[in-house]
Amino acid sequence: MTSDLKKTFLKIMKWFGITIAGILLLMFLLPMLFPGTIASEVKKVANKSLDAKLNFTKSKLSFFTHFPSLTVSLDDLSLTGSAPFRNDTLLKADQVAFGINLKRLIFNNEVKIDKLYISDAFVNVMVNTKGEANYNVYIAPKDQPKDSTDEGTAIRLDRIDFENCHIKYNDRSAKILVDAHGFNYVGKGDLSEDVFDLQTDAEIDSLDFYYDKTPYLQKKKLHADLITRINTNALSFILQKNELRINKLPLEFTGVFTILKDGYKINLDAASQNTTVEDLVSVLPPQYQTWAEDTKIKGRSDLLFTFKGRYNASKNQKPDLGFKFKVRDGGIEYKKSPVPLTDFNMDLSAMMPSLDVKKLTLDVKNFGFKLGEKDYFNAVLQTKGLSEMNVNANIKGALDLKTLNAAVGIPDFDMRGILKTDITANGTYSDSLKLFPKTKGGINLQGGWIKTKYYPNPITNITFVASILNNAGTFQDLSVAVTPASFKFEGNPVYVNAAVSDFSDMAYKARIKGELNVGKIYQVFSRKGLDVTGYAKADLSLNGRQSYATTGQYSKLDNKGTIILKNIKTTSELFPKAFVINEGLFRFQNEKMWFEKFTANYGKSDFALNGYLLNTINYFLESHGTLSGNFNLKSKLINVDEFMSLKEGENKDRKGDVEVAKEENPKMSGVVAVPKNLNVSLVTNVDKVEYNGLVLNALAGKTGISKGQLYLENTVFDIIGCKVGIDARYDDETPLAANFDVHFRANDFSVKRAYNEIPMFHDMVSAAEKTEGIISLDYQLKGDIDGNMSPIYESLEGGGTINLRDVKVTGLKLFGSVSEKTGQDGLNNPQMKGIDIKTTINNNLIHIEDFTFKVSAFRPTIKGTTSFDGLLDLKLRLGLPPLGLIGIPIVITGTHEKPEIKVFSKTGKEILDAEYNTKTNKVVKKDRRKNPEPETKK
């Protein structure tokens, strides 16, 4: 190499080194040059752009956190959600970093965030049953041009990077739950354009997917290689190249997803074409993976999933869900079973328009397999609708269940017996139109035998012969016979023979005899609830028609026999604890089911019942039947608090509205739920009732449940040393709301004890704090109850009379202030006897009619309004001696604690009332004055 070349090369290396050094120096200096600007800009952006609480421990500006990007890093960041989830976490992360556009920072001194890095985070996306989401935390700039479309706010980020995150999406309105652990995601795109392609690489270590509480994926690995075209102005995602792999199963996604201001719009196709059934089995829940490892699985499969339409909870718009699944030439052989399952073919499709299960269409064009040389099963089924369902079905099979169990290898389950079935059905099912598909066929099981690993002994000698026939396609022509059904468990046989015909006026004839250890037979089928115990014995003969009971033709019924229960433990989603039936002897006699001896416990509460239920057979035969009856109820203690529907208790598997309400309102106990299918009257005698800190003694009277409402008639009880008479009605509307109306009468009780021990009296008669003596009360009220079983005062309406038999008021600031203003010491501690005070209540206000009392030589007359918030608007006429013919007008405003007294005045300060909206569960303040004074801002 010549000397000139050496010099040139050294100069290049020198300047290259200087450049690198300069860049590195700049990387260290820039964070020092702009720290104030960037810190202030980040705070400004957060304050302007987020309608949520943002907290972090520290921040730093560096090129080296996510080299070579200049990033602002926020450590230990937490962000709450938008209403109604302002107290719930939306994002919690060890670190969140925002990439800064370096060009704009240097040349324009402008902070432009174009990258987002989130690491070791929990992202908790929540949507409640009303469709309200917690992610609407971004506030659009006021100067942003309005768009006539419904699309949401635009987002502009060049890079999105999630590292080792936990993402949970819980949409209760759509009944979807997605839970992803170990979520790693990198998305890149050029956001210089309004429409750009986002390249995505994603890995999920463990993915769970639930729809309507049913798991479809559990703990599955996922890899995604995606190209998504994004319209930033409309926040629309076009899925172009989207290849996923869930465990071994490949999936391809195509479609469009657009986030709207009031929901979303979607057109999505997901397909897995011509894959192996073995790959498909790899996405089954974890408990089946061991089974799959011991099983040879053959066949090819096609899978197609579609999700198309618009979601808007307020307009009740939901997308259409579609599913297609095919299996060709399938086969299953478990642990080299002597006879494999072969020729397995399936062609299934389903469509659920608007996610409405009532519109579900199911089409099983083919479902069949062979088992050895003789055994087979074939089924064809088409249904459309639910409440009014079109049905076309043809099911035939002859199977040795022991051979089938060996070939398939159902985990932890052993069955035997010869099962034959041959059923055809074609027509319409409609309960309202009394239509039933034309049907012919039956099921025959002989030598049945079931055993699980959860209990050492099997259920044996299972025989089940059932036939069904309907030639005309109506309820009237339908007949079903079970002759016989029997089994033996733990040496105890159970027999059932039954025949039912003419479902328009059901004729039934049944014979049931046997006894069971309920706890042990429960263990055969379940691991959960092993503490369930109990014994049941039945000896029943039932013969009659529905109309005999409903029309009072009881003499035509021939129902007789007994059922004995002991130590039975039962649960219901309505109640948080379990009912335990200690002993129950039930005797059937025609239309009545007598409770001859019945004792039970619920938590601390105990019950002893005797009486009868009417038409119990008819109740079980009807789809919406109601149980009627009359009982005598005795109890030593009933604790109402334990019945609140959201209370924590033994029943951990409650479902439906109660479970949703509990999760969305964890700080509420819920209201007491009343069964909707009871029409029962009880003559009640209870030693003690506990409710919200109150203790009621010796409660006696008539209590009833009818149409989902609880009522009390002519009921009396002792409280605070006083006997109270009450008539009341209670109705639970949801697990978090109820309403009531009540009329109560209480004579000669201590006002001091009532103020200290009864919360509602404390709030309604706040002046009683400084009062001693004996009063009586006759009052009617109606209103609403909140999710903690407390009255909502803004909803209360009613009125009544308070009688002051002998009451002394000591140290009340109201009378003290009047005494001070007027210079009359005699007014300070008045004593009132034989005075009736009439009041009415509505919209959070208590209106007091004028009443006069005598104190010293004066005759004060009081009337006006107070509120449950403690505000006063009272007018007092101070009648002067000798006969009070001349009076001084006085106005009292302010509060009970700080009354404001104006002497020789008649102008008060009207209190704003408040209305409670039961639909929105919100309180609205109302100013009903004709010319209200403008409020002064403090």
Side-chain angles (χ1 to χ4, degrees):
M1 181 180 292
T2 64
S3 59
D4 290 339
L5 286 174
K6 282 185 177 181
K7 289 179 180 179
T8 303
F9 178 74
L10 290 173
K11 284 183 179 180
I12 292 172
M13 294 303 296
K14 176 182 176 181
W15 285 108
F16 180 75
I18 292 173
T19 302
I20 295 298
I23 292 173
L24 291 174
L25 180 62
L26 187 63
M27 287 184 171
F28 281 107
L29 291 178
L30 271 176
M32 301 178 186
L33 295 174
F34 295 96
T37 303
I38 291 178
S40 62
E41 284 297 321
V42 169
K43 291 179 181 178
K44 187 187 298 183
V45 169
N47 290 331
K48 286 185 177 180
S49 303
L50 296 178
D51 181 22
K53 296 178 182 178
L54 176 68
N55 293 306
F56 53 90
T57 56
K58 64 179 180 178
S59 63
K60 63 180 178 180
L61 183 65
S62 173
F63 278 99
F64 301 101
T65 304
H66 294 279
F67 185 83
S69 298
L70 175 63
T71 58
V72 178
S73 301
L74 308 179
D75 293 344
D76 299 321
L77 180 140
S78 65
L79 176 68
T80 60
S82 55
F85 300 96
R86 296 191 184 278
N87 295 323
D88 297 304
T89 299
L90 171 61
L91 171 64
K92 186 175 181 61
D94 288 358
Q95 186 182 84
V96 175
F98 301 94
I100 308 298
N101 187 303
L102 191 58
K103 180 179 177 182
R104 292 197 182 188
L105 178 64
I106 295 174
F107 296 104
N108 300 334
N109 197 28
E110 175 189 353
V111 175
K112 176 65 177 177
I113 296 173
D114 57 11
K115 297 180 181 67
L116 174 65
Y117 302 88
I118 300 177
S119 59
D120 297 301
F122 173 49
V123 182
N124 185 30
V125 179
M126 303 168 69
V127 183
N128 66 15
T129 50
K130 299 177 183 178
E132 300 167 325
N134 70 337
Y135 52 75
N136 296 315
V137 296
Y138 180 73
I139 303 173
K142 294 181 180 180
D143 56 354
Q144 178 174 306
K146 291 185 178 180
D147 193 347
S148 60
T149 66
D150 293 329
E151 283 81 357
T153 306
I155 296 175
R156 293 181 174 273
L157 292 172
D158 288 330
R159 180 183 177 101
I160 303 173
D161 195 328
F162 287 84
E163 181 181 356
N164 191 33
C165 294
H166 174 198
I167 295 182
K168 187 175 182 180
Y169 175 80
N170 191 359
D171 188 340
R172 296 199 174 281
S173 61
K175 301 179 181 179
I176 290 174
L177 171 63
V178 179
D179 198 359
H181 292 264
F183 181 81
N184 296 278
Y185 171 95
V186 177
K188 302 176 183 178
D190 181 5
L191 272 146
S192 59
E193 300 293 335
D194 289 340
V195 179
F196 71 99
D197 289 341
L198 177 68
Q199 298 179 3
T200 299
D201 185 24
E203 293 276 354
I204 299 176
D205 294 337
S206 176
L207 175 68
D208 294 347
F209 175 80
Y210 288 74
Y211 177 73
D212 198 14
K213 300 185 181 69
T214 300
Y216 290 89
L217 296 174
Q218 283 186 302
K219 298 182 179 179
K220 300 304 174 188
K221 287 183 175 292
L222 183 143
H223 173 76
D225 183 10
L226 317 174
I227 296 178
T228 307
R229 177 155 293 178
I230 299 179
N231 184 334
T232 59
N233 290 325
L235 200 53
S236 180
F237 304 86
I238 303 171
L239 307 174
Q240 292 182 312
K241 176 201 171 188
N242 298 277
E243 297 175 356
L244 299 181
R245 184 172 292 275
I246 305 175
N247 278 14
K248 297 179 182 179
L249 182 69
L251 284 174
E252 291 187 359
F253 285 83
T254 57
V256 179
F257 179 70
T258 303
I259 296 178
L260 309 176
K261 294 177 181 178
D262 51 7
Y264 58 81
K265 185 166 57 178
I266 191 167
N267 188 341
L268 177 67
D269 290 316
S272 180
Q273 301 289 342
N274 198 27
T275 56
T276 68
V277 177
E278 187 177 7
D279 292 342
L280 183 66
V281 169
S282 73
V283 303
L284 291 176
Q287 59 265 35
Y288 296 102
Q289 294 309 308
T290 303
W291 169 83
E293 291 172 1
D294 296 330
T295 307
K296 289 183 180 180
I297 302 171
K298 301 178 181 178
R300 310 293 295 183
S301 67
D302 297 324
L303 180 67
L304 176 64
F305 172 87
T306 62
F307 198 39
K308 300 180 179 182
R310 177 166 175 163
Y311 177 79
N312 183 318
S314 62
K315 296 180 181 179
N316 199 29
Q317 294 177 326
K318 295 181 180 179
D320 300 332
L321 179 66
F323 177 78
K324 291 184 179 181
F325 179 49
K326 291 184 180 181
V327 175
R328 303 178 299 279
D329 302 323
I332 301 174
E333 183 179 355
Y334 179 71
K335 286 186 176 178
K336 298 180 180 180
S337 63
V339 179
L341 186 150
T342 61
D343 297 292
F344 178 62
N345 293 282
M346 177 189 292
D347 187 351
L348 179 151
S349 61
M351 177 63 69
M352 192 187 299
S354 301
L355 292 177
D356 187 351
V357 70
K358 293 182 180 179
K359 300 178 181 178
L360 176 67
T361 298
L362 182 65
D363 187 0
V364 183
K365 293 185 176 66
N366 182 24
F367 178 85
F369 59 86
K370 291 182 180 179
L371 198 62
E373 296 295 328
K374 298 179 180 180
D375 291 3
Y376 70 96
F377 184 84
N378 288 307
V380 175
L381 174 65
Q382 288 89 34
T383 68
K384 184 177 182 180
L386 193 65
S387 57
E388 187 169 318
M389 179 189 294
N390 294 322
V391 178
N392 185 10
N394 191 336
I395 302 170
K396 290 185 179 181
L399 296 170
D400 184 329
L401 298 182
K402 183 177 180 180
T403 305
L404 177 64
N405 191 81
V408 177
I410 302 174
D412 306 322
F413 192 81
D414 190 6
M415 60 182 178
R416 302 175 190 176
I418 304 300
L419 176 67
K420 295 181 180 180
T421 180
D422 186 353
I423 299 174
T424 59
N426 191 1
T428 302
Y429 171 82
S430 172
D431 184 55
S432 59
L433 299 176
K434 303 300 180 184
L435 297 177
F436 195 92
K438 294 180 180 180
T439 307
K440 183 179 181 180
I443 300 174
N444 188 318
L445 174 63
Q446 299 293 327
W449 193 90
I450 297 175
K451 184 179 182 298
T452 70
K453 74 171 187 178
Y454 311 120
Y455 191 75
N457 299 325
I459 301 172
T460 62
N461 297 89
I462 303 172
T463 300
F464 183 80
V465 180
S467 61
I468 181 170
L469 180 64
N470 188 336
N471 291 320
T474 65
F475 270 30
Q476 186 175 6
D477 195 55
L478 176 62
S479 63
V480 178
V482 179
T483 54
S486 63
F487 65 89
K488 184 180 287 187
F489 181 67
E490 292 286 10
N492 296 319
V494 175
Y495 301 97
V496 176
N497 281 276
V500 183
S501 61
D502 188 2
F503 278 60
S504 62
D505 179 16
M506 195 174 295
Y508 57 87
K509 186 173 184 178
R511 183 80 172 93
I512 304 166
K513 186 174 183 179
E515 56 186 281
L516 281 178
N517 187 316
V518 178
K520 289 182 179 180
I521 200 166
Y522 186 83
Q523 292 179 44
V524 172
F525 297 102
S526 176
R527 275 180 283 186
K528 296 182 179 179
L530 295 180
D531 60 336
V532 175
T533 58
Y535 168 85
K537 183 177 181 179
D539 188 354
L540 292 177
S541 175
L542 309 173
N543 190 0
R545 277 187 178 270
Q546 277 186 281
S547 60
Y548 295 166
T550 56
T551 59
Q553 302 178 68
Y554 302 132
S555 61
K556 294 184 178 181
L557 291 171
D558 185 16
N559 299 327
K560 56 188 176 183
T562 59
I563 296 177
I564 298 173
L565 302 179
K566 290 185 179 180
N567 301 321
I568 297 291
K569 184 176 182 181
T570 61
T571 59
S572 165
E573 69 175 49
L574 292 175
F575 304 107
K577 293 182 177 295
F579 281 94
V580 178
I581 301 174
N582 301 312
E583 185 176 13
L585 172 58
F586 309 96
R587 178 172 56 87
F588 287 79
Q589 183 178 1
N590 293 337
E591 79 280 10
K592 293 179 180 178
M593 176 182 173
W594 289 90
F595 285 56
E596 297 204 332
K597 191 172 184 181
F598 182 90
T599 59
N601 290 90
Y602 177 84
K604 298 177 182 177
S605 305
D606 63 272
F607 309 90
L609 279 174
N610 64 75
Y612 63 85
L613 288 173
L614 277 171
N615 304 331
T616 52
I617 307 300
N618 190 53
Y619 164 76
F620 288 109
L621 295 178
E622 285 187 347
S623 57
H624 303 290
T626 298
L627 275 177
S628 301
N630 289 284
F631 291 93
N632 293 315
L633 169 68
K634 291 186 178 181
S635 174
K636 294 179 181 179
L637 170 66
I638 295 179
N639 187 326
V640 178
D641 296 336
E642 292 181 324
F643 288 83
M644 295 181 185
S645 58
L646 304 189
K647 283 278 191 181
E648 291 292 343
E650 300 170 28
N651 186 8
K652 302 296 184 182
D653 298 320
R654 288 180 291 157
K655 298 180 179 179
D657 296 338
V658 173
E659 182 183 2
V660 171
K662 174 63 181 174
E663 293 186 9
E664 292 187 357
N665 304 273
K667 296 182 180 179
M668 290 190 177
S669 61
V671 300
V672 175
V674 180
K676 307 298 182 185
N677 59 346
L678 291 182
N679 183 18
V680 176
S681 176
L682 302 98
V683 176
T684 308
N685 194 329
V686 182
D687 293 347
K688 182 189 289 187
V689 177
E690 295 179 354
Y691 164 59
N692 255 359
L694 292 177
V695 177
L696 314 181
N697 294 302
L699 186 146
K702 185 177 180 181
T703 305
I705 296 175
S706 178
K707 297 179 181 179
Q709 297 184 358
L710 173 70
Y711 63 87
L712 303 175
E713 289 183 4
N714 299 321
T715 301
V716 296
F717 57 85
D718 292 333
I719 186 173
I720 61 169
C722 164
K723 190 169 287 296
V724 177
I726 185 171
D727 295 287
R729 178 199 58 82
Y730 168 89
D731 183 11
D732 62 307
E733 302 165 13
T734 71
L736 293 171
N739 64 74
F740 73 97
D741 56 63
V742 59
H743 179 199
F744 48 87
R745 304 161 297 280
N747 294 320
D748 298 340
F749 62 90
S750 164
V751 65
K752 177 63 70 177
R753 285 192 65 183
Y755 181 85
N756 291 333
E757 299 178 30
I758 304 177
M760 184 178 287
F761 188 88
H762 177 285
D763 296 329
M764 291 175 57
V765 193
S766 54
E769 180 184 9
K770 306 293 184 180
T771 305
E772 294 184 3
I774 303 301
I775 69 174
S776 297
L777 196 65
D778 189 335
Y779 224 87
Q780 286 184 291
L781 275 179
K782 67 177 181 178
D784 294 289
I785 294 174
D786 66 18
N788 285 316
M789 277 297 287
S790 297
I792 300 170
Y793 290 103
E794 293 83 0
S795 73
L796 296 182
E797 296 180 31
T801 301
I802 302 173
N803 175 265
L804 310 184
R805 194 182 84 179
D806 187 0
V807 171
K808 183 177 182 180
V809 182
T810 304
L812 188 65
K813 291 183 179 179
L814 188 152
F815 287 117
S817 298
V818 171
S819 179
E820 182 180 342
K821 284 284 186 178
T822 59
Q824 305 295 329
D825 292 338
L827 299 174
N828 199 10
N829 298 313
Q831 185 156 357
M832 307 178 187
K833 294 184 179 181
I835 297 170
D836 288 334
I837 303 176
K838 295 183 178 181
T839 64
T840 57
I841 293 174
N842 69 316
N843 296 335
N844 203 44
L845 303 181
I846 305 170
H847 304 283
I848 305 169
E849 295 184 16
D850 58 302
F851 67 94
T852 302
F853 58 97
K854 185 177 181 182
V855 51
S856 297
F858 300 96
R859 283 183 168 80
T861 300
I862 297 177
K863 67 177 180 178
T865 302
T866 68
S867 77
F868 286 110
D869 303 322
L871 301 177
L872 303 174
D873 181 21
L874 300 176
K875 295 177 175 61
L876 186 151
R877 179 185 181 276
L878 184 60
L880 300 176
L883 299 175
L885 299 176
I886 300 174
I888 300 174
I890 300 172
V891 169
I892 306 168
T893 58
T895 66
H896 288 286
E897 290 298 318
K898 294 183 179 180
E900 299 175 5
I901 310 298
K902 292 192 292 184
V903 183
F904 295 107
S905 175
K906 295 183 179 181
T907 304
K909 186 177 182 181
E910 188 172 358
I911 306 171
L912 302 185
D913 59 7
E915 286 186 350
Y916 176 69
N917 189 320
T918 55
K919 293 182 178 180
T920 62
N921 297 327
K922 293 182 179 179
V923 175
V924 180
K925 295 285 187 180
K926 297 287 185 180
D927 190 342
R928 304 185 187 279
R929 295 170 292 180
K930 293 183 178 179
N931 297 299
E933 299 177 2
E935 293 187 8
T936 303
K937 293 184 178 180
K938 295 183 181 181

